[in-house]
Amino acid sequence: MVAADPHLKFLVTISLHPGASRAAVEAALKGWCARVDREYLGRNWLKMPEKMMRGVAFFEAAPHNHAHLLVAPPVGASAFHFEMNAAQMFRPEAAPELRLVPPQALAQRGVMQIQSIGDSAEDRHRLAKYVTKEMEWREAALHDWAPLSELGR
């Protein structure tokens, strides 16, 4: 199971404005992944697929379209720096002096939360149950996930 992968260190939750489509959520995630990889791997990040951030996204439609991601930061990225700064690459601070590069928000009304994943088997089991909860109740939810490398395809 993906949650058992010890390299997956963070739970990332992204939510756009009510009424946003799943395609909009995927596009925002794809843009965020590109920004994160560029930040940590440099301008030639596309030539280093083995070092890029990896993980899986689980999409939910209720109460509105949003996603939960289990991710491993790009190779060489500090876990502390990632946890403290990666959300800024999604939706920077409103005050220009507090912004990190890049200055443009991927979603004007979006929210991103990043939490570290505990190392215990119990923590990972609870997390796996949480991110896959819709798969228990809706057969269509079996298709509502994607590896980060396939977002927007």
Side-chain angles (χ1 to χ4, degrees), residues 59-77:
F59 297 93
E60 294 183 22
H64 57 274
N65 282 306
H66 65 285
H68 301 285
L69 293 75
L70 301 176
V71 302
V75 172

mmCIF file of all heavy atoms in Angstrom, residues 59-77:
data_model
loop_
_atom_site.group_PDB
_atom_site.id
_atom_site.type_symbol
_atom_site.label_atom_id
_atom_site.label_comp_id
_atom_site.label_asym_id
_atom_site.label_seq_id
_atom_site.Cartn_x
_atom_site.Cartn_y
_atom_site.Cartn_z
ATOM 1 N N PHE A 59 -8.648 12.382 -4.911
ATOM 2 C CA PHE A 59 -9.599 13.473 -5.124
ATOM 3 C C PHE A 59 -10.935 13.156 -4.470
ATOM 4 O O PHE A 59 -11.383 12.016 -4.485
ATOM 5 C CB PHE A 59 -9.799 13.693 -6.627
ATOM 6 C CG PHE A 59 -8.536 14.110 -7.311
ATOM 7 C CD1 PHE A 59 -7.708 13.169 -7.897
ATOM 8 C CD2 PHE A 59 -8.155 15.438 -7.336
ATOM 9 C CE1 PHE A 59 -6.521 13.542 -8.515
ATOM 10 C CE2 PHE A 59 -6.972 15.824 -7.944
ATOM 11 C CZ PHE A 59 -6.155 14.874 -8.526
ATOM 12 N N GLU A 60 -11.557 14.198 -3.917
ATOM 13 C CA GLU A 60 -12.877 14.073 -3.321
ATOM 14 C C GLU A 60 -13.759 15.182 -3.874
ATOM 15 O O GLU A 60 -13.283 16.281 -4.138
ATOM 16 C CB GLU A 60 -12.806 14.183 -1.796
ATOM 17 C CG GLU A 60 -12.059 13.043 -1.146
ATOM 18 C CD GLU A 60 -12.064 13.143 0.375
ATOM 19 O OE1 GLU A 60 -12.948 13.802 0.946
ATOM 20 O OE2 GLU A 60 -11.169 12.548 0.983
ATOM 21 N N ALA A 61 -15.044 14.884 -3.997
ATOM 22 C CA ALA A 61 -15.978 15.848 -4.554
ATOM 23 C C ALA A 61 -16.871 16.510 -3.504
ATOM 24 O O ALA A 61 -17.529 17.499 -3.790
ATOM 25 C CB ALA A 61 -16.855 15.180 -5.610
ATOM 26 N N ALA A 62 -16.934 15.960 -2.299
ATOM 27 C CA ALA A 62 -17.840 16.515 -1.287
ATOM 28 C C ALA A 62 -17.025 17.156 -0.169
ATOM 29 O O ALA A 62 -16.001 16.599 0.234
ATOM 30 C CB ALA A 62 -18.721 15.413 -0.723
ATOM 31 N N PRO A 63 -17.391 18.277 0.357
ATOM 32 C CA PRO A 63 -18.502 19.130 -0.040
ATOM 33 C C PRO A 63 -18.224 19.886 -1.330
ATOM 34 O O PRO A 63 -19.124 20.403 -1.973
ATOM 35 C CB PRO A 63 -18.659 20.089 1.140
ATOM 36 C CG PRO A 63 -17.298 20.194 1.722
ATOM 37 C CD PRO A 63 -16.658 18.848 1.493
ATOM 38 N N HIS A 64 -16.961 19.991 -1.726
ATOM 39 C CA HIS A 64 -16.586 20.527 -3.032
ATOM 40 C C HIS A 64 -15.264 19.857 -3.432
ATOM 41 O O HIS A 64 -14.622 19.204 -2.618
ATOM 42 C CB HIS A 64 -16.473 22.062 -2.998
ATOM 43 C CG HIS A 64 -15.498 22.571 -1.989
ATOM 44 N ND1 HIS A 64 -15.840 22.793 -0.674
ATOM 45 C CD2 HIS A 64 -14.191 22.874 -2.087
ATOM 46 C CE1 HIS A 64 -14.779 23.210 -0.007
ATOM 47 N NE2 HIS A 64 -13.764 23.268 -0.837
ATOM 48 N N ASN A 65 -14.892 20.020 -4.682
ATOM 49 C CA ASN A 65 -13.690 19.348 -5.180
ATOM 50 C C ASN A 65 -12.451 19.784 -4.402
ATOM 51 O O ASN A 65 -12.179 20.969 -4.259
ATOM 52 C CB ASN A 65 -13.497 19.629 -6.667
ATOM 53 C CG ASN A 65 -14.406 18.788 -7.521
ATOM 54 O OD1 ASN A 65 -14.416 17.571 -7.386
ATOM 55 N ND2 ASN A 65 -15.172 19.425 -8.391
ATOM 56 N N HIS A 66 -11.717 18.787 -3.902
ATOM 57 C CA HIS A 66 -10.457 19.016 -3.204
ATOM 58 C C HIS A 66 -9.630 17.743 -3.312
ATOM 59 O O HIS A 66 -10.100 16.746 -3.860
ATOM 60 C CB HIS A 66 -10.689 19.432 -1.746
ATOM 61 C CG HIS A 66 -11.319 18.388 -0.895
ATOM 62 N ND1 HIS A 66 -12.659 18.059 -0.957
ATOM 63 C CD2 HIS A 66 -10.793 17.577 0.054
ATOM 64 C CE1 HIS A 66 -12.927 17.106 -0.086
ATOM 65 N NE2 HIS A 66 -11.808 16.786 0.551
ATOM 66 N N ALA A 67 -8.406 17.781 -2.823
ATOM 67 C CA ALA A 67 -7.528 16.613 -2.931
ATOM 68 C C ALA A 67 -6.649 16.484 -1.696
ATOM 69 O O ALA A 67 -6.319 17.473 -1.043
ATOM 70 C CB ALA A 67 -6.650 16.732 -4.171
ATOM 71 N N HIS A 68 -6.303 15.241 -1.412
ATOM 72 C CA HIS A 68 -5.330 14.900 -0.381
ATOM 73 C C HIS A 68 -4.176 14.219 -1.093
ATOM 74 O O HIS A 68 -4.390 13.313 -1.898
ATOM 75 C CB HIS A 68 -5.936 13.942 0.651
ATOM 76 C CG HIS A 68 -7.139 14.482 1.331
ATOM 77 N ND1 HIS A 68 -7.091 15.443 2.309
ATOM 78 C CD2 HIS A 68 -8.454 14.199 1.162
ATOM 79 C CE1 HIS A 68 -8.311 15.720 2.726
ATOM 80 N NE2 HIS A 68 -9.157 14.979 2.037
ATOM 81 N N LEU A 69 -2.959 14.638 -0.801
ATOM 82 C CA LEU A 69 -1.784 14.063 -1.434
ATOM 83 C C LEU A 69 -0.873 13.470 -0.368
ATOM 84 O O LEU A 69 -0.735 14.042 0.709
ATOM 85 C CB LEU A 69 -0.974 15.133 -2.170
ATOM 86 C CG LEU A 69 -1.564 15.795 -3.393
ATOM 87 C CD1 LEU A 69 -2.616 16.792 -3.034
ATOM 88 C CD2 LEU A 69 -0.475 16.467 -4.173
ATOM 89 N N LEU A 70 -0.281 12.357 -0.692
ATOM 90 C CA LEU A 70 0.792 11.787 0.106
ATOM 91 C C LEU A 70 2.040 11.996 -0.724
ATOM 92 O O LEU A 70 2.106 11.524 -1.865
ATOM 93 C CB LEU A 70 0.549 10.303 0.367
ATOM 94 C CG LEU A 70 -0.739 9.960 1.103
ATOM 95 C CD1 LEU A 70 -0.914 8.455 1.202
ATOM 96 C CD2 LEU A 70 -0.764 10.601 2.480
ATOM 97 N N VAL A 71 3.018 12.747 -0.194
ATOM 98 C CA VAL A 71 4.167 13.111 -1.018
ATOM 99 C C VAL A 71 5.507 12.885 -0.337
ATOM 100 O O VAL A 71 5.622 12.932 0.888
ATOM 101 C CB VAL A 71 4.098 14.593 -1.486
ATOM 102 C CG1 VAL A 71 2.839 14.869 -2.271
ATOM 103 C CG2 VAL A 71 4.229 15.550 -0.334
ATOM 104 N N ALA A 72 6.483 12.660 -1.175
ATOM 105 C CA ALA A 72 7.894 12.663 -0.795
ATOM 106 C C ALA A 72 8.492 13.890 -1.473
ATOM 107 O O ALA A 72 8.347 14.056 -2.683
ATOM 108 C CB ALA A 72 8.590 11.402 -1.282
ATOM 109 N N PRO A 73 9.122 14.783 -0.716
ATOM 110 C CA PRO A 73 9.709 15.977 -1.336
ATOM 111 C C PRO A 73 10.778 15.598 -2.358
ATOM 112 O O PRO A 73 11.262 14.459 -2.367
ATOM 113 C CB PRO A 73 10.355 16.710 -0.148
ATOM 114 C CG PRO A 73 9.758 16.129 1.064
ATOM 115 C CD PRO A 73 9.350 14.727 0.714
ATOM 116 N N PRO A 74 11.163 16.537 -3.203
ATOM 117 C CA PRO A 74 12.247 16.254 -4.147
ATOM 118 C C PRO A 74 13.503 15.785 -3.404
ATOM 119 O O PRO A 74 13.753 16.191 -2.262
ATOM 120 C CB PRO A 74 12.492 17.606 -4.827
ATOM 121 C CG PRO A 74 11.197 18.333 -4.680
ATOM 122 C CD PRO A 74 10.643 17.896 -3.360
ATOM 123 N N VAL A 75 14.277 14.954 -4.051
ATOM 124 C CA VAL A 75 15.511 14.430 -3.459
ATOM 125 C C VAL A 75 16.417 15.607 -3.074
ATOM 126 O O VAL A 75 16.609 16.538 -3.858
ATOM 127 C CB VAL A 75 16.231 13.488 -4.454
ATOM 128 C CG1 VAL A 75 17.600 13.087 -3.922
ATOM 129 C CG2 VAL A 75 15.371 12.273 -4.727
ATOM 130 N N GLY A 76 16.901 15.571 -1.864
ATOM 131 C CA GLY A 76 17.797 16.615 -1.373
ATOM 132 C C GLY A 76 17.105 17.760 -0.661
ATOM 133 O O GLY A 76 17.759 18.600 -0.061
ATOM 134 N N ALA A 77 15.778 17.816 -0.721
ATOM 135 C CA ALA A 77 15.049 18.899 -0.062
ATOM 136 C C ALA A 77 15.003 18.652 1.443
ATOM 137 O O ALA A 77 14.773 17.530 1.885
ATOM 138 C CB ALA A 77 13.617 18.984 -0.610
#
